[in-house]
Amino acid sequence: MCELHGVTRSGFYAWCSRQPSQREQDDEALKERVRQVHAESRGFYGSPRVKGQLCLDGCSVGRRRVAG
């Protein structure tokens, strides 16, 4: 499989053992906050309203990132 993707075995295993990047950590925190806002709205809020609520809470994020 490593040959197919053009990576070395050691590079693959190094990638597997790496810590999540800052962006991945931020995405996980954002996902949890989006779920919380959605649950607080009893499931009525879509991505535009969730994004609006996050902006009111001080989290600057785009609608597409919230929707994804």
Side-chain angles (χ1 to χ4, degrees):
M1 186 155 107
C2 290
E3 259 182 61
L4 177 70
H5 294 288
V7 296
T8 62
R9 240 187 241 168
S10 61
F12 170 75
Y13 287 111
W15 173 78
C16 287
S17 64
R18 251 184 237 140
Q19 295 293 322
S21 68
Q22 186 62 44
R23 176 71 174 211
E24 288 174 317
Q25 292 174 9
D26 293 344
D27 283 347
E28 285 302 314
L30 178 63
K31 255 190 242 181
E32 186 57 38
R33 183 66 184 124
V34 166
R35 286 187 184 119
Q36 183 181 11
V37 169
H38 186 70
E40 288 171 359
S41 73
R42 298 182 317 238
F44 287 106
Y45 281 8
S47 59
R49 284 185 176 176
V50 170
K51 184 240 186 245
Q53 184 61 46
L54 291 173
C55 285
L56 288 175
D57 294 344
C59 180
S60 177
V61 64
R63 182 185 53 84
R64 290 184 180 169
R65 189 164 177 214
V66 170

